[in-house]
Amino acid sequence: MPELPDLQVFSKNLNRMIKGKTLEKAIIHNKQKIKVKEAELQALEGKTLNKVFRRGKRLFLDFGKDAILAIHLMLHGKLEYSDTPDPKYALVSLTFKEGKTLSVTDFQQMANIELNPPSAEAIDALSPQLTADKLEQLLQASRAKIKTVLMDQKLIGGIGNAYADEILHAAQLSPLSIAGKIPEKKVQQLAKAIKDVLEDAERQIQKTHPDIISGEVRDFLKVHRKQAKHDASGQTIKQTKVGGRITYYTADQEEFS
C-alpha cells in the first residue's frame, strides 16, 4: 500500500501532468464499488483541475468548490495516465480535453473513491501542528503499543506499516513500547523522526523515480526490508508482529512499558 512519501510524490507528479487541464469525460466502470453516483461524477465534466494534493493516505483532485474527488488506493489500487480510456481493472476514468486519461485501477476492486468527503479528524503526519507537545498529548493516555498509535489513521494520518518501522528505528524506540509510558525526551526524538524519515523518503523516491504515480519504492529503507539481516550499524534486524502486522526492529531500540 502506498504510504505518505509515495503519495506526496504522486501528487507532485500529477500536478505536473494534469493541473490546469479541463475534464472532458468521467466514467465509472464499476458502479457497485464506487461511492460516487455517476451523475455526480459527470457533473465535474467541463471543470478545470485546480490542483492535486495529499492528506493522510488519500489523494484529492480539486476541481473547485464542492467538486473535490478523493482517492484512497488501499492495498492494490493504482493510478494510470495514458491514452487508454478503459484500462484493465479500471474503476473510474477521467479523460481530459488534451486526450489522455487518468484511471484508478484495482484488481481487488477495493480502492475508495469519494466526492467531497468530510475533513479527516486526524492530524496529518507532516502537518506543522504535529509538534512534540501535540504528539505527547496523543500518546500520554494510551495503553496501546507505539507502532499501533503511529498507524492509527484516526489519530495521525499517512503513516503505514513500513514507515512506522522506519520512524521508530530512527528514533531508537521499540515498536513494543507502550505509548503512554514513553518519556518526554523520547517523544521529542520521535516527533523529529516522523518529519525527518518521511521527508527524506519523499526526496529518495522523487530522485530515483521522478515520474512515478503508482506503486511503492522501498529499496532504500533501513530496517523494514524482508531480506535485510542487519541495519547500517550492524544491529541484527528482528521480526515480530504488532497489531497483526509484520514489524522489523533492532534490539537497541529502547522499550518503555
Side-chain angles (χ1 to χ4, degrees), residues 112-132:
N112 190 307
I113 301 167
E114 297 180 83
L115 189 63
N116 301 317
S119 298
E121 295 181 3
I123 187 168
D124 190 81
L126 284 183
S127 170
Q129 297 176 8
L130 189 59
T131 62

Side-chain angles (χ1 to χ4, degrees), residues 1-17 52 57 59 61 71-82 87-90 92 101-107 111 163 205-206 208-218 220:
M1 176 187 292
E3 296 185 33
L4 187 152
D6 306 293
L7 296 169
Q8 280 283 98
V9 177
F10 297 174
S11 67
K12 289 181 177 180
N13 288 338
L14 286 168
N15 272 310
R16 178 165 50 82
M17 295 171 180
V52 180
K57 289 186 177 182
L59 292 173
L61 277 63
I71 301 169
H72 193 311
L73 294 171
M74 302 301 285
L75 192 61
H76 295 292
K78 295 182 182 297
L79 295 171
E80 296 185 20
Y81 186 56
S82 69
K88 191 175 183 180
Y89 304 124
V92 166
T101 299
L102 178 69
S103 296
V104 181
T105 68
D106 187 350
F107 73 90
Y163 284 102
I205 296 167
Q206 189 77 68
T208 59
H209 296 73
D211 300 315
I212 192 171
I213 60 168
S214 270
E216 306 169 357
V217 182
R218 300 284 186 266
F220 60 87

Side-chain angles (χ1 to χ4, degrees), residues 169 172 223 231 235-238 248-254:
H169 181 258
Q172 285 297 278
V223 67
D231 69 2
Q235 287 286 325
T236 299
I237 297 175
K238 304 168 70 175
Y248 298 85
Y249 69 109
T250 57
D252 61 341
Q253 292 178 228
E254 195 169 2

Side-chain angles (χ1 to χ4, degrees), residues 33 46 69 144 240:
K33 295 293 183 178
L69 193 66
T240 187

Side-chain angles (χ1 to χ4, degrees), residues 64-255:
K65 184 180 179 182
D66 298 325
I68 297 179
L69 193 66
I71 301 169
H72 193 311
L73 294 171
M74 302 301 285
L75 192 61
H76 295 292
K78 295 182 182 297
L79 295 171
E80 296 185 20
Y81 186 56
S82 69
D83 296 322
T84 304
D86 184 12
K88 191 175 183 180
Y89 304 124
L91 299 178
V92 166
S93 292
L94 306 173
T95 299
F96 293 86
K97 282 192 175 179
E98 290 75 4
K100 287 194 173 184
T101 299
L102 178 69
S103 296
V104 181
T105 68
D106 187 350
F107 73 90
Q108 284 193 327
Q109 301 181 342
M110 295 297 292
N112 190 307
I113 301 167
E114 297 180 83
L115 189 63
N116 301 317
S119 298
E121 295 181 3
I123 187 168
D124 190 81
L126 284 183
S127 170
Q129 297 176 8
L130 189 59
T131 62
D133 288 344
K134 178 62 177 178
L135 184 60
E136 188 168 19
Q137 291 176 20
L138 293 175
L139 302 185
Q140 62 186 0
S142 177
R143 292 292 303 167
K145 292 182 173 64
I146 183 58
K147 180 173 180 179
T148 300
V149 174
L150 288 180
M151 293 176 60
D152 188 341
Q153 300 304 301
K154 294 180 180 179
L155 295 176
I156 302 173
I159 301 172
N161 192 38
Y163 284 102
D165 286 351
E166 293 296 302
I167 289 165
L168 292 169
H169 181 258
Q172 285 297 278
L173 181 60
S174 170
L176 304 176
S177 295
I178 301 302
K181 298 294 184 180
I182 300 171
E184 181 181 354
K185 185 176 180 180
K186 207 68 178 176
V187 174
Q188 292 174 351
Q189 293 176 13
L190 178 60
K192 183 176 185 300
I194 290 172
K195 300 291 193 297
D196 289 350
V197 167
L198 296 176
E199 290 176 350
D200 179 67
E202 180 185 344
R203 287 190 292 270
Q204 294 273 9
I205 296 167
Q206 189 77 68
K207 180 180 178 181
T208 59
H209 296 73
D211 300 315
I212 192 171
I213 60 168
S214 270
E216 306 169 357
V217 182
R218 300 284 186 266
D219 53 1
F220 60 87
L221 298 186
K222 294 178 171 61
V223 67
H224 191 96
R225 297 180 64 183
K226 187 176 181 179
Q227 304 303 325
K229 303 299 181 185
H230 303 89
D231 69 2
S233 65
Q235 287 286 325
T236 299
I237 297 175
K238 304 168 70 175
Q239 288 187 35
T240 187
K241 283 194 174 182
V242 176
R245 306 298 294 275
I246 295 176
T247 297
Y248 298 85
Y249 69 109
T250 57
D252 61 341
Q253 292 178 228
E254 195 169 2
E255 182 176 343

